[in-house]
Amino acid sequence: MGLPTISLVGRPNVGKSTLFNRLSHSRQALVSDFEGLTRDRQYAEVLLDEDSNTFATIIDTGGLTNEDNVVDSGIQGQVLSALEESDIIYFIVSSRDGVIGLDLEIASRLRRLKKEVILVCNKSEGLDEIKAAEFYELGLGTPRLISAEHGQGLADLIELTLPLLPKKVVEEKEEVEGIAVAVLGRPNVGKSTLINRILGEERVLAIDMPGTTRDSIYIPFEREDQKYTLIDTAGIRRKRSTHEKIEIFSIIKAIDALDRSHVVILVLDAREGVTEQDATLLGMIADKGRALLIVINKWDGLDEYQKSEVKRKLDVKLSFVNYASVHYISALHGSGVGKLFAPIIKSYKNAGAQHSTSTLNKILEAANHGHQPPPVKGRRLKIKYVNQTDVFPPTLTFHGNHLQNVPNAYDRYLKNFFTDALKLTNTPLRCEYKSGENPFKDNKNELNARQVTKKRRLMKFIKKRKKR
């Protein structure tokens, strides 16, 4: 079940980002604020109401302008199209500016969506409802007066919003069978073709069934006695220009797929390489710690020089996910698709493997022998032992002294050493560090009579030196 979605829309400089920050930070953002697919777009999951435990996804859509036409093409047209998928829209205007022509044009577009639109009149410090009467001209009902900067009126705005949120029916979560494989990628990279090729090649009856959210489709199938569930986010693609940016809501659907997956296949277009949107998806996958295969599609359409150039650029741009294997395929013709199953199975086993503490500590001993922990602030790190604390991704917790600030270089050394020793492929390794508490930290060192006398003599000596 997906969270209800509230989008913030309006022209530039009306305070959308201020309201977004106020809602997501001062009201305790749940998990993460992270940049969206462009610099002016942000997402956050927020707790709207503690009593009812109501959460929602808040999206700052960026400012709409009319530089070229009524609403500028490209991203701004995409924002309005994406708003069709919102549950509630906050249309934000500025009390200081009054109603301007662009506000009227945006309001006209929003009315056509037939969505719940709340007119939010920001920067309303000292403004009463009579003076705000001009905003009725927008045809969106009563303007709600707030000051995002000072937090005024937000409680009333949320109280108005809560009853309008969709009453989503909580369904039992479908059990994901076998290895859950999320297939991610931008529109037109061949993601859907790859999924159809995987299913068609194996001649398995695929049953499309709705997942636990409106955003993903779960497709169970079986190959060589191994069960899989493909998580398809194909619904994110609209039939629009191939040059447009990925839809605003695709990031939400990608998060859902990542949360339920064991292994991720990221499909890239060989002709385009790693784009900004691909880098964003890669960052999300790395943050979630999912096992990863990178599939370069449309490989058969390149000549030898183009192939060598693509490989050279990929080596540079994919360096921060160097644990992932890269596979070159043609989903359309099926070349290389059948070879993906072996690394999928191996990735799944590596990401979910449990390693004994004795094995890990033997590796730690070898790591310490090869490279002693460096000193930090004059104190040498001391790692006493290590144990595994989680899977998907495999997580190791190191215990010892002075481990509060392990240098990045030594952290990378340990990750690489353990990854090689455990023969992990396609899955990141997470390392956590815990320092043992000093049992004497709160104890005062009581001096005996001899030590007190010695301390006095020393203090006298220091004072004499200072006088000189």
Side-chain angles (χ1 to χ4, degrees):
M1 184 185 71
L3 292 178
T5 303
I6 302 172
S7 292
L8 280 55
V9 68
R11 56 186 172 81
N13 301 317
V14 292
K16 293 186 305 302
S17 295
T18 307
L19 177 58
F20 173 87
N21 290 333
R22 176 68 68 171
L23 290 172
S24 60
H25 294 125
S26 67
R27 296 190 67 80
Q28 300 301 313
L30 172 62
V31 245
S32 58
D33 295 349
F34 45 89
E35 291 186 2
L37 300 175
T38 65
R39 286 170 294 182
D40 61 349
R41 209 163 305 157
Q42 289 186 312
Y43 304 71
E45 290 180 10
V46 301
L47 176 61
L48 287 181
D49 183 58
E50 289 187 14
D51 295 336
S52 60
N53 199 35
T54 301
F55 292 92
T57 299
I58 307 286
I59 301 179
D60 179 4
T61 60
L64 296 172
T65 69
N66 60 355
E67 291 177 3
D68 298 325
N69 44 48
V70 174
V71 178
D72 196 20
S73 58
I75 274 190
Q76 298 177 69
Q78 168 220 316
V79 167
L80 285 178
S81 297
L83 290 174
E84 294 175 14
E85 298 186 35
S86 302
D87 296 308
I88 292 176
I89 299 167
Y90 286 171
F91 176 34
I92 304 170
V93 294
S94 171
S95 297
R96 296 174 189 170
D97 301 336
V99 177
I100 68 171
L102 184 54
D103 290 331
L104 291 168
E105 291 167 3
I106 296 172
S108 175
R109 291 288 188 96
L110 293 178
R111 286 197 300 271
R112 292 178 213 163
L113 296 177
K114 297 181 180 177
K115 293 281 181 178
E116 293 285 358
V117 180
I118 298 177
L119 180 57
V120 179
C121 207
N122 192 28
K123 306 179 185 179
S124 298
E125 302 91 335
L127 188 72
D128 57 33
E129 293 184 5
I130 296 175
K131 292 180 181 178
E134 66 173 305
F135 290 99
Y136 281 95
E137 181 184 356
L138 296 171
L140 293 171
T142 304
R144 307 296 166 175
L145 306 183
I146 71 161
S147 170
E149 186 175 358
H150 300 100
Q152 296 171 5
L154 297 189
D156 292 338
L157 177 62
I158 291 171
E159 189 176 343
L160 172 69
T161 302
L162 291 174
L164 301 178
L165 293 173
K167 300 295 185 290
K168 298 191 184 267
V169 179
V170 179
E171 302 170 357
E172 273 189 41
K173 287 190 176 183
E174 296 285 351
E175 285 296 323
V176 174
E177 294 189 75
I179 304 173
V181 183
V183 183
L184 300 182
R186 295 177 297 107
N188 302 311
V189 295
K191 180 163 55 74
S192 297
T193 307
L194 174 60
I195 290 171
N196 291 334
R197 177 64 66 176
I198 288 172
L199 298 171
E201 265 193 352
E202 307 310 320
R203 291 173 173 77
V204 176
L205 177 61
I207 304 167
D208 289 5
M209 55 184 178
T212 56
T213 78
R214 64 189 176 187
D215 298 322
S216 302
I217 300 297
Y218 293 76
I219 311 170
F221 74 101
E222 191 170 320
R223 180 186 187 271
E224 297 180 357
D225 298 326
Q226 172 63 57
K227 291 184 177 181
Y228 300 85
T229 298
L230 278 179
I231 305 176
D232 177 19
T233 54
I236 67 177
R237 182 157 65 97
R238 293 177 177 277
K239 293 181 180 178
R240 294 205 292 268
S241 166
T242 57
H243 298 293
E244 284 195 24
K245 300 277 188 181
I246 198 167
E247 282 77 8
I248 188 171
F249 279 78
S250 62
I251 198 164
I252 299 173
K253 301 179 184 189
I255 292 168
D256 166 59
L258 287 173
D259 284 339
R260 298 296 306 277
S261 67
H262 299 121
V263 180
V264 176
I265 295 176
L266 180 65
V267 185
L268 306 181
D269 189 325
R271 295 170 298 184
E272 298 181 22
V274 182
T275 67
E276 181 187 349
Q277 294 88 348
D278 295 324
T280 299
L281 288 172
L282 280 167
M284 290 167 53
I285 295 165
D287 288 343
K288 291 284 184 181
R290 291 295 178 260
L292 173 63
L293 277 69
I294 297 172
V295 167
I296 312 300
N297 192 25
K298 307 178 185 179
W299 188 244
D300 55 338
L302 304 182
D303 59 35
E304 290 306 314
Y305 173 76
Q306 289 172 320
K307 287 179 179 179
S308 64
E309 280 296 292
V310 169
K311 287 182 177 180
R312 183 181 63 81
K313 291 176 181 176
L314 287 174
D315 286 342
V316 175
K317 293 190 175 182
L318 298 178
S319 58
F320 73 102
V321 285
N322 57 1
Y323 55 87
S325 59
V326 180
H327 306 265
Y328 302 92
I329 71 162
S330 170
L332 185 62
H333 300 106
S335 59
V337 174
K339 296 179 181 178
L340 296 177
F341 288 98
I344 287 173
I345 294 172
K346 192 171 183 181
S347 303
Y348 174 76
K349 289 180 178 178
N350 283 336
Q354 291 276 7
H355 303 280
S356 69
T357 301
S358 60
T359 298
L360 294 176
N361 281 284
K362 286 178 184 176
I363 298 171
L364 175 62
E365 186 179 349
N368 282 334
H369 182 74
H371 191 325
Q372 281 291 323
V376 176
K377 296 180 180 178
R379 293 181 173 181
R380 184 167 293 279
L381 309 180
K382 185 175 182 182
I383 301 177
K384 297 179 179 178
Y385 71 97
V386 58
N387 66 312
Q388 184 173 352
T389 51
D390 208 351
V391 292
F392 296 108
T395 304
L396 305 182
T397 300
F398 295 85
H399 305 263
N401 296 337
H402 315 305
L403 302 184
Q404 296 90 340
N405 298 300
V406 175
N408 291 333
Y410 196 71
D411 177 66
R412 286 194 301 272
Y413 166 73
L414 287 176
K415 284 179 181 176
N416 292 335
F417 197 94
F418 274 82
T419 296
D420 292 340
L422 296 171
K423 295 182 172 58
L424 300 180
T425 57
N426 289 57
T427 184
L429 184 69
R430 282 191 177 162
C431 294
E432 298 176 350
Y433 302 93
K434 289 188 176 180
S435 292
E437 289 292 325
N438 180 359
F440 305 105
K441 67 176 182 178
D442 295 323
N443 291 357
K444 274 194 164 184
N445 186 16
E446 296 291 337
L447 302 180
N448 57 33
R450 180 174 165 275
Q451 289 171 323
V452 170
T453 304
K454 186 176 180 181
K455 182 180 177 182
R456 285 173 181 166
R457 283 201 309 269
L458 181 62
M459 293 303 296
K460 285 180 182 179
F461 175 75
I462 292 172
K463 286 178 182 178
K464 284 181 181 178
R465 290 196 63 179
K466 284 182 179 179
K467 288 179 181 179
R468 291 177 189 174

